[in-house]
């Protein structure tokens, strides 16, 4: 239970930090900006696409409903 | 504006249908595979996709100190995931991210929201391409 809460806190913190970096204090680097820098090169774009496709496939086509 | 609303409604309807399908079925693979094929085709055939604010990114390189919070989050994720996997991956006391997400995904509404968010992320190169064509024409 504690670790489940830790996961939720970690995800919430990541989303909050992303919004803070994107809209409040732009001196900090947001994930969007990191992705934009990575996407400047074809290999980076391929990596981002592969990561996006993997996450979607894993989350929405191959998730396991708990009993 | 009506075009945007129609687009949002279509994405939401597609998302509602796709997230209502049973996992590990051919229809589900098809529903998730369509966006992947579309985005992959755009990236493969569109060439160099322009990125918003690219000049600004070149002018302001990413410094390690400014990325530190993300590195800490990635380290915490790796530690928790590693611990969960070391304990078998299905432990209810120390669940992996996949296990937590599997429990969260039992709610159709959350599946729909995450799926639509995933589609929006994937549509970035598509939107950039449309904007580039609009600028050229």
């Amino acid at each position: 239970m504690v670790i489940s809460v830790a996961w939720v806190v970690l995800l919430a913190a990541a989303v909050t930090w992303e919004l803070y970096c994107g809209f409040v204090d732009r001196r900090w680097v947001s994930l969007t900006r990191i992705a934009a820098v990575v996407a400047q090169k074809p290999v980076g774009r391929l990596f981002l696409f592969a990561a996006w496709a993997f996450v979607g496939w894993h989350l929405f086509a191959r998730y396991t409903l708990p009993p | 504006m009506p075009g945007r609303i129609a687009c949002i409604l279509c994405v939401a309807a597609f998302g509602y249908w796709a997230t209502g399908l049973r996992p590990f079925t051919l229809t589900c693979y098809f529903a998730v595979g369509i966006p992947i094929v579309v985005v992959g085709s755009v990236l493969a055939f569109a060439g160099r996709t322009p990125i918003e604010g690219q000049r600004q990114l070149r002018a302001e390189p990413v410094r390690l100190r400014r990325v530190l919070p993300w590195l800490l989050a990635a380290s915490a994720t790796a530690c928790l995931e590693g611990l969960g996997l070391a304990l078998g991956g299905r432990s209810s006391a120390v669940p992996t991210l996949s296990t937590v997400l599997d429990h969260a995904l039992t709610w159709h509404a959350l599946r729909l929201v995450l799926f639509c968010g995933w589609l929006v992320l994937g549509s970035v190169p598509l939107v950039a391409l449309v904007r580039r064509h609009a600028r050229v024409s």
Side-chain angles (χ1 to χ4, degrees):
Chain A
M1 182 65 185
V2 175
I3 302 295
S4 300
V5 173
W7 277 120
V8 174
V9 168
L10 193 61
L11 289 174
V15 171
T16 308
W17 185 245
E18 173 69 11
L19 293 174
Y20 179 80
C21 295
F23 296 106
V24 181
D25 189 350
R26 286 175 181 268
R27 285 174 304 170
W28 292 97
V29 178
S30 64
L31 265 190
T32 309
R33 193 162 156 221
I34 294 172
V37 170
V38 171
Q40 283 179 323
K41 293 190 174 172
V43 178
R45 280 200 290 278
L46 185 67
F47 169 76
L48 287 177
F49 169 70
W52 173 79
F54 172 79
V55 167
W57 194 258
H58 189 64
L59 272 185
F60 306 114
R62 299 180 66 81
Y63 64 97
T64 312
L65 289 172
Chain B
M1 195 66 181
R4 275 188 189 176
I5 293 170
C7 191
I8 290 169
L9 286 176
C10 283
V11 168
F14 175 70
Y16 187 81
W17 171 72
T19 51
L21 299 168
R22 282 189 67 79
F24 294 99
T25 59
L26 198 62
T27 330
C28 192
Y29 290 153
F30 185 71
V32 180
I34 289 173
I36 293 175
V37 170
V38 170
V39 173
S41 306
V42 167
L43 284 176
F45 296 112
R48 197 167 187 280
T49 311
I51 300 154
E52 296 294 325
Q54 208 170 32
R55 279 179 201 157
Q56 190 192 344
L57 287 173
R58 283 204 192 102
E60 296 172 30
V62 173
R63 292 180 201 284
L64 188 66
R65 198 169 64 88
R66 301 286 182 199
V67 195
L68 204 60
W70 290 116
L71 293 178
L72 287 175
S75 305
T77 304
C79 286
L80 285 176
E81 190 71 5
L83 196 64
L85 287 173
L87 291 170
R90 284 274 154 198
S91 164
S92 56
V94 187
T96 59
L97 183 59
S98 284
T99 310
V100 172
L101 286 174
D102 281 348
H103 279 86
L105 288 172
T106 50
W107 296 319
H108 190 184
L110 186 65
R111 276 207 305 275
L112 176 63
V113 169
L114 289 177
F115 188 77
C116 289
W118 179 71
L119 288 179
V120 168
L121 277 181
S123 70
V124 169
L126 202 70
V127 172
L129 186 73
V130 171
R131 280 188 183 160
R132 185 169 66 178
H133 276 283
R135 228 176 284 144
V136 168
S137 60

